Amino acid sequence: RQSGGGAWSYFTRTMSEDVQSRVSMLHSLRAAIDFKRGLSLAYQPLVNARSGKLVGAEALLRWRNDFGESVSPQRFIPLAERTGLINELGLWVIETALDRLARWRAQGLSDMVMSINVSSVQFRADDFAAQVKRLIDLCDVPAVAVTLEITESIALEDHAHVMEQIAELRRFGVSFAIDDFGTGFSSLSQIALLPADQLKIDRAFVDKVCNSAADHSLAATVVMLAQGRNLGMVAEGVETEEQKDALLALGCEKMQGYLFGRPMSAEQFDAWVRERRP
Ligand code: C2E
Ligand code: CA
Ligand code: CA
Ligand code: CA
């Protein structure tokens, strides 16, 4: 009984610590969003690995909390999703990224495309598509230069409503990419139903592309799936020359990863572009 009691108090203590830390994280995230404090975007280059040309950038959210610690989006985005903060946060991400895109295009990166991650939860808002269109107009960028990255989890949302919003944005010119392709829980038939223009091949597959024959054929299957649906492909998390060559051999040209460039601030991105100019 004694040990049972000890285990129980340990259990309740760690539980309450957990709840407490989530409540305080929520509190500071709320403040960060309200006062635009500690939030920023990092930009990772997207290149055509065959020509070496810059194609675009993916905007990745960064948050430095009140203690100056950087918190992983993998921790705070799920919290923002559960509490509804993601709507406001997500619109801030879109506006900030499109504003940056407008500047880059004006500075001579005229073909540049911006990829922005959107959470499935953001599609629940009735006016999501209208808000995105408003921000594209506000920032004065062409809709065709905007790609929204969605994940397979969108299949869990109200199907008709999601389809309507995606269709409205695609009519406007916005492209859609299915992110983390192949890692989710959705069946192939669900993916076949998702309207998209691109598949982003997850890092898990890129890691495998140079491994055993079985692993390689798995990666090849993902590429074939994309080609079969006439979708564009982007491989993410490319870290080595071997991975790059193997992906090129499979017919995937667009890549992202540490081999080409890490996510960086807008200023670092400008320097990265200058260094690469002949
Ligand atoms: P993701 O969209 O799959 O983004 C790719 C992640 O892989 C990023 O992590 C990026 O920094 C990292 N990465 C890129 N290249 C390499 C590489 O060569 N090797 C390795 N090991 N990693 C690489 P990050 O920035 O921590 O973002 C994690 C996830 O958080 C993202 O995964 C995305 O799902 C989510 N996220 C980030 N920003 C946003 C946002 O603005 N909105 C939403 N809804 N989600 C976001
Ligand atoms: Ca992404
Ligand atoms: Ca991804
Ligand atoms: Ca991911």
Side-chain angles (χ1 to χ4, degrees):
R1 240 182 70 191
Q2 214 168 2
S3 91
W8 173 248
S9 69
Y10 173 76
F11 180 65
T12 47
R13 192 172 66 240
T14 50
M15 263 219 339
S16 69
E17 273 165 13
D18 191 46
V19 169
Q20 216 170 46
S21 78
R22 258 186 294 156
V23 168
S24 82
M25 180 152 87
L26 181 59
H27 184 77
S28 40
L29 183 60
R30 169 85 261 175
I33 295 169
D34 282 349
F35 305 109
K36 305 292 175 286
R37 184 171 73 196
L39 293 170
S40 63
L41 294 183
Y43 301 94
Q44 185 176 34
L46 170 62
V47 303
N48 180 316
R50 198 175 294 283
S51 66
K53 281 214 173 92
L54 175 70
V55 175
E58 178 177 1
L60 293 158
L61 187 54
R62 297 290 176 259
W63 177 37
R64 222 167 249 291
N65 67 15
D66 299 338
F67 307 106
E69 304 155 342
S70 113
V71 185
S72 162
Q74 256 137 352
R75 283 190 63 209
F76 71 80
I77 287 183
L79 182 70
E81 286 175 340
R82 283 200 303 274
T83 54
L85 287 179
I86 193 71
N87 293 311
E88 202 181 325
L89 183 57
L91 290 176
W92 179 84
V93 167
I94 295 170
E95 183 171 356
T96 307
L98 294 184
D99 186 56
R100 178 57 54 188
L101 176 65
R103 292 189 214 196
W104 277 335
R105 290 177 68 95
Q107 282 166 20
L109 298 173
S110 46
D111 300 327
M112 179 112 177
V113 168
M114 185 67 79
S115 292
I116 303 171
N117 294 286
V118 291
S119 158
S120 307
V121 174
Q122 287 175 263
F123 283 84
R124 285 181 203 161
D126 277 331
D127 63 344
F128 178 67
Q131 290 288 355
V132 174
K133 283 158 66 175
R134 178 181 68 81
L135 292 173
I136 287 172
D137 287 339
L138 179 76
C139 298
D140 201 20
V141 290
V144 291
V146 181
T147 300
L148 297 185
E149 298 193 359
I150 57 178
T151 61
E152 296 169 17
S153 70
I154 204 157
L156 296 176
E157 302 294 322
D158 175 355
H159 187 70
H161 180 63
V162 166
M163 290 305 208
E164 229 171 78
Q165 309 245 1
I166 293 179
E168 183 179 344
L169 285 166
R170 289 180 89 204
R171 275 196 303 275
F172 196 64
V174 174
S175 294
F176 282 82
I178 301 179
D179 204 356
D180 301 340
F181 181 69
T183 60
F185 39 79
S186 57
S187 66
L188 289 178
S189 58
Q190 279 174 317
I191 292 156
L193 290 173
L194 273 181
D197 308 277
Q198 267 182 29
L199 291 186
K200 285 193 90 172
I201 302 171
D202 193 72
R203 197 168 75 225
F205 291 101
V206 171
D207 273 343
K208 290 189 166 114
V209 81
C210 299
N211 289 1
S212 67
D215 277 348
H216 182 271
S217 69
L218 192 63
T221 305
V222 174
V223 172
M224 265 172 48
L225 255 166
Q227 285 167 341
R229 271 196 58 198
N230 220 349
L231 296 174
M233 265 178 298
V234 180
E236 66 175 21
V238 181
E239 294 181 353
T240 68
E241 289 287 341
E242 289 74 24
Q243 290 171 340
K244 176 184 122 180
D245 293 340
L247 287 160
L248 281 175
L250 286 175
C252 176
E253 294 187 344
K254 285 190 191 172
M255 298 182 201
Q256 231 180 306
Y258 296 167
L259 179 64
F260 309 100
R262 291 191 172 246
M264 43 199 148
S265 69
E267 294 70 32
Q268 289 169 325
F269 196 98
D270 287 337
W272 181 90
V273 169
R274 276 197 303 274
E275 268 167 37
R276 284 165 50 97
R277 281 222 176 107

